[in-house]
Amino acid sequence: MTHDFERSIDGRVVLDSSDISRALTRLAHEIVERTHGAQNLTIMGIPTRGAALAQRIAAKIAEIQGSPVAIGALDVTMYRDDLRMRPARALQPTKIPSEGIEGRLVILVDDVLFSGRTIRAALDALSEHGRPEAVQLAVLVDRGHRELPIRADYVGKNLPTSQQEVIQVKLVEYDGSDEVTIERAK
Amino acid sequence: MKHLLSAADLTKDQAIQILDTAKELAAATEQGVGKLPPLRGRTVVNLFFEDSTRTRMSFEAAAKRLSADVINFSAKGSSVSKGESLKDTALTLEAMGADAVVIRHNSSGAPHRLANAGWISGGVVNAGDGTHEHPTQALLDAYTMRQHLAGGEGDLKDLNVTIVGDVLHSRVARSNVLLLNTLGAKVRLVAPPTLLPYGVESWGCDVSYDLDDSLEGADAIMMLRVQRERMNAAYFPTAHEYSSRYGLNLSRMNRLAEHAIVMHPGPMNRGMEISADVADSKRSVIVEQVANGVSVRMAVLYLLLGGTESI
C-alpha cells in the first residue's frame, strides 16, 4: 500500500522493533501451521514495504522449516483504480520466482490493510502471471475501514483507527528503524 | 510535463524516471504480461506526415500494450494530400477526442506548434520533426547504453559516446547530444565538415573530422544513416569515399574497446555507413535498440497519460 504520509515526530508508537519482530514470527508460524508445512508456497510482497516484510516472513518460515521458500514481489501500480486521480506514479519492480505462480499457494504480503483497494489491484496483477491454486493475504497492520469485500488471513496487529488517523510503518530497509506509529492527520 | 517535444526539456531526474519506468515495463513484457491496463479508455493518435516504419510501429505497439486505443494517420492517402493544413487536421483530432498525439513531421517545429497553438488539449509527443529532434530515439539509445554499459540503472556518467555521420540532417544526433549531456556522458561527433551543422561548437561536445582518431576510448559508437533523400547538395564527393573515411567496417570495429557497443538508429544503408559484417556482429545492438524502443515509448506514454497530470 502506498502512503504519502507526512513525516511527523509526534506520532504515537504502537509497535516497536521487537513488537514487529514478534508479530512477524507469529505470522510465519501461523502460515506454516495453516498451510500444513508451507509446501507449494510462494510469498509475494507488494512494494515497497510489503516486499521487505515478505523477505522477513520468508526468512522466518525457512528457519522454521529448514528449507527455502519461493519469494517474489508484485507491483500493483498499473492496476490501481485511482491511477487517474493522481499524477503518474513510478513503477516498482515485479519479480516472479522462477517456478512461477501457476498452481502455487500464493501469500500476498503488505504492510497496512486499509480500504482493500491495493489488494484488489494485486489480485488483478497476479492473474496476469498465472492461476494460483489459492491466494491468501498477510498484513502487518489491519486498520479497518474496508471499502471492498476483502479480509486478511494473517494479521500482525489489529489496530482500530479513525479515518482521520494516519498509520506509518517504518522499516529498517527504508527508514533506518522498525516502528509503527499512529497520528492524527493535520 | 504534459508534452515530450525535445530531449532538452527533460531534467536528469525526469530522464532517469523514464528509463527506470521503461525497465519495469520491459521486465513485465519479459515475464509474459502481453498487455497492461493503465491507458484503458485513452486514445493515442499516430499522426505521421513522413514515412516511417519502425517508429510508427513502435509507438503503436507501445500504446496497445498499455491498452490505449490507437488511431493511425498517415499523410499519404489522407485529406492532407488534398491540401488540409496542420491546424485543420489537429482540430479534427481534437473533435475525435485524442488524449495524446504522436507526431512525425518533415518540418522542424511542427510538434511545438501543435502543442502550443491551442488547437488540441491532449499531450504531444515528438516522433521526429525535420532535422530538429527525435527525443524518444535518444531515450531508447540511452536506455540501451545504460543496460550494456552502466549496469542498467542511474545515469550515464563519464561514458564516452561517439556519434558518426550526417549530423547536419540528423534529428537523432541532436536529441542524443542533448540527452547524453543531461545524463552526464561525454559525446564526440565525427563527420566531414560539410555534414556538421552551423554552430555545432555550442552543443557542448567534442567534434572531430577523423573517425580513425575517435575509435579508441569510445564505450559506444553510433552510426548515423546517410540520408540520401536529404542529399540534394554535394556534401561529399562519392559514396565510396564517404564509406572509406566514415564507414564502420570490421577493421575499425576491431580497434574499439572490448566492451564497446555498436549502435544505429535504422534504417541502415549496409555498405555505406556500416558494413554488413559489423551490423550483424555480436557487438551490434541494433536489433535490441528496436525492442528497447517499445519499452521506452511505453514509459513515455504511461508517464504522460497514466495519471491526472504528468511527471
Side-chain angles (χ1 to χ4, degrees), chain A residues 47-66:
Chain A
T48 43
R49 283 171 183 73
L53 292 172
Q55 294 280 357
R56 294 192 198 182
I57 291 173
K60 284 181 193 287
I61 293 175
E63 209 179 293
I64 297 162
Q65 291 297 103

Side-chain angles (χ1 to χ4, degrees), chain A residues 1-2 46-47 76-84 86 89 110 115 117-122 124, chain B residues 37-38:
Chain A
M1 188 154 187
T2 325
I46 300 174
V76 307
T77 309
M78 285 186 286
Y79 297 85
R80 301 191 74 91
D81 59 6
D82 59 351
L83 205 55
R84 301 281 163 76
R86 289 203 261 160
R89 272 163 279 189
D110 204 359
S115 67
R117 289 174 191 268
T118 300
I119 304 307
R120 186 212 57 79
D124 279 356

Side-chain angles (χ1 to χ4, degrees), chain B residues 14-32:
Chain B
Q14 286 173 327
I16 290 174
Q17 187 185 14
I18 293 173
L19 301 183
D20 287 346
T21 304
K23 188 179 168 188
E24 300 305 341
L25 291 165
T29 305
E30 264 167 44
Q31 286 160 357

Side-chain angles (χ1 to χ4, degrees), chain B residues 47 49 73 79-80 83-96 101 103 105 109-111 113-121:
Chain B
L47 187 58
F49 290 91
F73 172 102
S79 45
V80 171
E84 188 176 64
S85 68
L86 179 61
K87 177 178 178 176
D88 290 321
T89 306
L91 293 174
T92 307
L93 299 180
E94 177 68 4
M96 288 195 292
V101 178
I103 179 172
H105 203 286
R113 181 82 176 130
L114 188 64
N116 293 297
W119 301 327
I120 58 169
S121 54

Side-chain angles (χ1 to χ4, degrees), chain A residues 77-79 83-96 125 128-129, chain B residues 17 21 24-25 31 33 35-40 42 302-303 305-309:
Chain A
T77 309
M78 285 186 286
Y79 297 85
L83 205 55
R84 301 281 163 76
M85 294 160 72
R86 289 203 261 160
R89 272 163 279 189
L91 304 180
Q92 303 292 329
T94 290
K95 294 196 186 85
I96 306 294
E128 293 289 342
H129 294 279
Chain B
Q17 187 185 14
T21 304
E24 300 305 341
L25 291 165
Q31 286 160 357
V33 182
K35 215 166 178 79
L36 294 158
L39 301 189
R40 204 164 52 200
R42 302 247 163 161
Y302 168 70
L303 291 169
L305 293 177
T308 33
E309 56 197 57

Side-chain angles (χ1 to χ4, degrees), chain B residues 177 180-181 185-189 199-207:
Chain B
V177 171
L180 289 168
N181 279 342
K186 292 177 188 144
V187 187
R188 167 177 274 217
L189 298 172
V200 71
E201 61 280 356
S202 68
W203 285 20
C205 55
D206 281 350
V207 177

